[in-house]
Amino acid sequence: MTRDADSDQPTDRSQYAPNPKEDRAGIALCLSGGGYRAALFHLGALRRLNELGVLSKVSTFSSVSGGSILAACLAAQIATGLHWPEPGGVIGDFDEKIAIPFRQFTRKNIRSAPVITKIISPWKWLDSAYGARYLAKQYEQHLTGLRLRDLPKKPRFVLSATDMTFGVNWVFDSNYTNPHQNPQGPDLGDYQAGYGPFPDWPLARAVAASSCFPPVFNPLPVGLPAYHFEHGKYDGEDRQELVEGIRLSDGGVYDNMGLEPVWKDHQIVLVSDGGAPFEAEPDSGLLWRVGRYTSIQGRQGAAVRKRWLIRNYETDEMDGTYWGIRSSPQRYGDDLPGYSKDLAVDVLSKVRTDLDSFTDAEAAALQTHGYYLVDAAIRTWTNNLTGTATPPTVPAPTPGDEQGIRRNLHNSHKRSLIGRGQIVW
């Protein structure tokens, strides 16, 4: 026993450590935040995981922000007829059902309209939820019309957002096991506010909550009565006021890798990280410093999580593997195909994390990078997961054409107010 840092009451150390290995079950795949960039990087990883027979073994998809956009696309396809194979099998129509529709979505600019609207209609600033509602509308019209209650139970999908009231991870969980309720069922909430059944919401609203990154998109109000949530830890006199005022922001504000819902109880944890790196910048004044303080705090939290995760892999405390957009397959072996470390660091990891239109060259490079990275990571650290699969092979751009990729993506780090593609209103 030890003591909680904020209390004199003894606390069980087990709440800060993974469950014993014999008590863990299932394979979790965590899809990080990072806008379209991360989503396309994850799409390449999913393609190779499918070829390796690993994707069908995943029991839980845990996603944040850009990862939640891709997860919602996959969930919608499964719910509307995509055959989910038995563990070890492959999705034969991966391109037709998943890759092509998702690539079509990432051609849309769903970021610029709220910004421009607030410039030409300043009173829109008074509507703090305008941007989040706009996001939900675009996701529902162009990504999925599924409702939360229609999420498949197998595999399980957990979309995470950040509860701005209590400062904790909020989940939309298609098959949550609440220790106070039985049987399993879909739930939303967090441990402070409590958990309750899915309301009659579009899945798109959950995706919007998971991806409404500040300051472009303000937090999304939950708008549910306090009695909807049960067994929350917080029981102060102002509970009703606080719970009914909860607003949800981008899940990456709290945990950009989506680890929180799965790290304790899953046997194997796979992490695909397409998040933004922390870049060195010169001091440019007071406003820059205010934002920089927040960025440094966020960077520290993310770095601690990553170091903790990899250390647990190395000490055999946890099983799984991690692949990040700044990495190269060569870190796993000199003869492995894929892009160089220089290209990953100088170009691919600096592609904007945005919800603006992505070009074919950008999409192809990001998917190829995710494809080769996951192949190297899985074969190196969790080779027991793979079945018989063909050697990795991806259409152009090929890993050898790095100069061409540099030319095509030389402005990909830049954002513009109007955006790069037709604005979706």
Side-chain angles (χ1 to χ4, degrees):
M1 302 288 282
T2 184
R3 291 185 182 273
D4 189 286
D6 298 321
S7 170
D8 289 332
Q9 298 301 314
T11 301
D12 188 347
R13 281 188 61 188
S14 64
Q15 67 177 296
Y16 302 112
N19 295 340
K21 277 196 169 184
E22 61 270 18
D23 295 337
R24 299 180 226 159
I27 300 172
L29 174 59
C30 300
L31 304 175
S32 80
Y36 285 170
R37 184 190 76 182
L40 289 164
F41 174 73
H42 300 328
L43 180 61
L46 259 62
R47 178 189 295 277
R48 187 54 180 162
L49 288 173
N50 181 53
E51 293 174 356
L52 292 170
V54 175
L55 189 63
S56 58
K57 295 180 180 180
V58 173
S59 53
T60 301
F61 290 88
S62 178
S63 61
V64 175
S65 194
S68 290
I69 303 173
L70 178 58
C73 176
L74 177 61
Q77 291 295 335
I78 296 171
T80 55
L82 173 68
H83 172 66
W84 189 250
E86 292 298 316
V90 300
I91 301 170
D93 48 359
F94 183 89
D95 278 339
E96 177 186 352
K97 294 294 188 179
I98 301 170
I100 293 174
F102 192 73
R103 175 67 190 111
Q104 284 295 106
F105 180 76
T106 58
R107 288 189 170 93
K108 302 182 186 301
N109 174 4
I110 64 170
R111 184 262 291 159
S112 297
V115 179
I116 295 172
T117 298
K118 287 183 177 182
I119 292 174
I120 62 179
S121 306
W123 59 88
K124 284 290 187 182
W125 288 101
L126 300 176
D127 182 358
S128 61
Y130 166 72
R133 288 201 308 272
Y134 165 85
L135 268 188
K137 175 184 174 183
Q138 301 312 317
Y139 290 141
E140 186 169 14
Q141 290 183 350
H142 303 292
L143 182 68
T144 174
L146 201 70
R147 304 195 80 77
L148 281 173
R149 63 172 179 263
D150 300 323
L151 278 169
K153 298 298 183 290
K154 183 180 179 182
R156 172 187 175 198
F157 286 87
V158 186
L159 282 65
S160 290
T162 300
D163 174 347
M164 298 294 287
T165 296
F166 293 109
V168 297
N169 197 68
W170 175 283
V171 297
F172 299 89
D173 192 333
S174 67
N175 203 17
Y176 178 75
T177 306
N178 190 320
H180 302 284
Q181 297 173 350
N182 200 19
Q184 292 177 327
D187 264 331
L188 80 168
D190 60 49
Y191 80 94
Q192 291 281 17
Y195 298 90
F198 280 165
D200 188 24
W201 283 8
L203 172 59
R205 187 169 177 179
V207 181
S210 182
S211 61
C212 55
F213 57 88
V216 177
F217 301 101
N218 286 327
L220 178 74
V222 174
L224 293 172
Y227 61 75
H228 189 90
F229 303 95
E230 297 182 347
H231 309 295
K233 181 179 178 181
Y234 187 82
D235 61 355
E237 293 181 358
D238 55 353
R239 171 179 166 77
Q240 179 174 344
E241 177 186 2
L242 292 179
V243 172
E244 293 183 357
I246 287 175
R247 290 172 177 258
L248 304 177
S249 188
D250 189 302
V253 174
Y254 183 82
D255 171 17
N256 198 49
M257 289 192 291
L259 280 168
E260 188 80 2
V262 299
W263 68 270
K264 288 191 70 170
D265 58 2
H266 281 69
Q267 184 180 28
I268 297 173
V269 178
L270 311 174
V271 179
S272 183
D273 186 2
F278 185 85
E279 301 289 350
E281 295 178 7
D283 190 308
S284 58
L286 178 60
L287 291 178
W288 175 88
R289 291 182 206 120
V290 171
R292 194 65 167 176
Y293 296 141
T294 304
S295 297
I296 291 172
Q297 290 176 330
R299 182 223 186 185
Q300 175 64 7
V304 169
R305 283 183 186 271
K306 180 180 173 182
R307 289 196 296 266
W308 168 88
L309 176 71
I310 293 175
R311 180 60 177 166
N312 275 320
Y313 289 152
E314 292 175 342
T315 60
D316 203 34
E317 182 71 20
M318 293 175 62
D319 294 325
T321 189
Y322 164 97
W323 56 94
I325 197 167
R326 288 173 62 88
S327 301
S328 167
Q330 280 76 59
R331 68 169 294 189
Y332 303 97
D334 294 337
D335 59 343
L336 295 176
Y339 297 144
S340 68
K341 177 72 171 179
D342 287 344
L343 186 72
V345 172
D346 297 343
V347 179
L348 299 176
S349 69
K350 294 182 180 179
V351 173
R352 64 203 179 280
T353 55
D354 207 349
L355 300 180
D356 187 9
S357 176
F358 271 50
T359 67
D360 287 343
E362 291 169 336
L366 290 166
Q367 288 182 68
T368 302
H369 189 40
Y371 180 97
Y372 281 114
L373 264 179
V374 72
D375 183 76
I378 289 289
R379 289 183 177 276
T380 301
W381 292 104
T382 54
N383 195 41
N384 59 315
L385 287 179
T386 63
T388 301
T390 59
T393 174
V394 175
T398 64
D401 190 23
E402 295 197 3
Q403 289 304 314
I405 294 171
R406 287 180 180 271
R407 288 192 299 271
N408 289 332
L409 273 62
H410 74 285
N411 282 325
S412 293
H413 63 288
K414 296 181 179 178
R415 294 181 176 87
S416 68
L417 176 63
I418 296 176
R420 297 165 181 256
Q422 183 177 1
I423 300 172
V424 179
W425 294 90

